[in-house]
Amino acid sequence: MQNSYLMLGAALFAIGSFGLLIRRNPLVMFMCIELMLNAVNITFVAFSKQLDDVAGQAVVFFVLVIAAAEVVVGLGIIVAIMRRRPNVNADDLSLMKG
Amino acid sequence: MILQVLAQIPTDGVTAPLVEESTSRLVTPRIPWSYLTPQLILFLGAVIGVALVALLPKRLPKYLSALATVVLAAGTLVSIVPLWGRVGNAREGAISAWSGAIGVDRFGLFVTALICLAVLVTALFADSYLRREGLDGPEFYLLLMTAAFGASIMAISNDLIVLFVGVEILSISSYVLTAMHARRVTSQEAGLKYLVLGGFASAVLLYGLALIYGATGSTNLLQIQVFLSERVLTSDGLLLGGLGLMMAGFGFKVGAAPFHMWTPDVYQGAPTPVSGFMASAVKTAAFAGMIRVFVVGFGSAAELWRPIVFVMAVLSLLVGSIVSVVQSNVKRMLAYSSIAHAGFILLGVHSATERGTSAALFYLASYTAMALGSFGIVALAARRGEHLQKLSDLRGFATAHPGLALAFALLLFAQSGVPLTGGFIAKLGVIGAAVDQGDWALAVVAMITAVISTFMYLRIIVSMFFVGGGDHGEEPAGFEGPPVNVSWTSMVGLGIVVVATLFLGILPGTVKHWSNQAVVEMVRDSGR
């Protein structure tokens, strides 16, 4: 039973990372990162149950807080860019190359 | 609930006083706050700073934030000195607090000292840079301090979760610092790239951490160490996967190939003092975390992760040196050279010995000075509006500003590893550590790539010192654009890094001795 939760976590993590690679909208890419972080949360809780150790569940709260902080900063940066160049996607951000 | 459980503990001779004391009130962990003075100064400095900025009148003297940052960083450095003695002597020794989540030892203190030096010099360079670019205000300095706080947490973490929290405090602060220059498109672009790729790397690191928690049953490095030493692991998929993912996450944070893609873009786009801070403090903290986790925590499973570090080291050395040669932007060249330097430091990590650790620390110390100085001079030479982009923009720099050009040349020679500079002793140390472990191949690759990167450093120096006709026979051009204004704060910062580079090269004994003493010691939480 626990293994299926681990599989779910792994699947969500994979979806998140593929989404990050495929999608070009900065906002969607950012959502993919959040999906990856929450996939890790599922993994932590599943392991916590499996090991009968509460520490794994405590970790989830830390990750939630960190994800929230990252959203605040990330949306700030994305909004700053969108304001200057509406409808920008990740492929347009290529001033620096080499 | 807690009180009931405690009351059931048999009151034999040893535990009796503890139980008597604790039945009367709630048990709280005893925290040795005095050992955390460096972190507390940085943290409270940032938090109180935010409150003061909000409460005080708007029109404060412009130099105040830089001054406060320099004073706090210097205060942190001073607070490390007595701790170094306390942690080192036999009676007290390294300590562990918060049920083993944090461990204060000489390794952590050494790294914290390096980070404080980076903050101090960055603040000195940033003062005139920010005023020139019209960005002056307290925000930059407050973020610098939170970043330094996160970095120093990484250096003393004994628990993977604490380490992750440190990584994120550092990373989130650096995302904002990178995107700080709101009017320059490149800065915003760099900020977004750093944010997306950094968030991805954090998630990968965290997933690795979860797998390691599943494989070992703990996130505490000491317990993981004990777990691994009690078992012979032949093929544990979870542990291997976790190690690989964590190594990828750390590889990203230190900017090692093949996880280096963000480095050139971010270093180029970020405000130049921030690039210097990232090359010095962020790299130092990430390597500190890497050494704590892998060399010490997973020390007994070294044969599992050493091949990964081997590949990362070779790739970083090759990519960093070869690609830097074909660059034309000065900041990009320095960014690629920082990738090559990460490869050298990985040599020390790869050896997985105490000698390797101390060689890596010495390398980080000398690279901190060289990187801060190099980016600082680029920040000065760029003038308002970032005139310095291409290598050819440096033409005639030596005639116009001989002092700055000489200092830049010295720092570049030091980066290439010329004797009598810190870079030479540092390279000698890590290559020695690799040879010590019989890694001849790695040592040979390191020496060959050192020669290749020397060519790149010479290109910069030649373009500064030799005015001559251009490649296509056009008229010799002088150093164009508005004059370079060197404020006295930048002079002080530059003085510190140049003296440090020469000092580390001519009299390396003292710092070498400190880096030898700076070993990671993981002890049980004694509740002291």
Side-chain angles (χ1 to χ4, degrees), chain B residues 203-223:
Chain B
V204 169
L205 178 71
L206 190 66
Y207 196 54
L209 218 142
L211 294 186
I212 284 169
Y213 170 66
T216 62
S218 174
T219 54
N220 189 292
L221 282 177
L222 187 67
Q223 286 177 26

Side-chain angles (χ1 to χ4, degrees), chain A residues 10 17 20 33 36 40 43 47 51 53 56 59 63 66 70 73-74 78 81 84-85 93-98, chain B residues 161 164 168 172 176 182-183 185-186 188-189 192-193 195-196 200 206-207 210 213-214 265 268-269 332 336:
Chain A
S17 40
L20 189 72
I33 293 175
M36 289 166 78
V40 177
T43 314
F47 276 134
L51 297 163
D53 174 33
V59 170
V63 178
I66 286 168
E70 214 168 78
V73 166
I78 292 174
I81 289 188
R84 182 189 279 259
R85 298 157 76 187
L93 298 171
S94 56
L95 282 173
M96 296 173 290
K97 273 181 182 165
Chain B
I161 293 311
F164 182 71
E168 284 302 296
I172 292 175
V176 187
R183 281 188 305 283
V185 188
T186 45
Q188 290 187 343
E189 183 181 321
L192 186 69
K193 281 182 179 171
L195 171 81
V196 170
F200 182 69
L206 190 66
Y207 196 54
Y213 170 66
D265 286 355
Q268 184 191 342
R332 275 188 104 80
Y336 275 106

Side-chain angles (χ1 to χ4, degrees), chain B residues 157-160 219-225 292-293 297 522:
Chain B
S157 60
N158 254 1
D159 193 288
L160 293 174
T219 54
N220 189 292
L221 282 177
L222 187 67
Q223 286 177 26
I224 290 174
Q225 203 181 27
R292 266 201 114 83
V293 172
M522 281 191 194

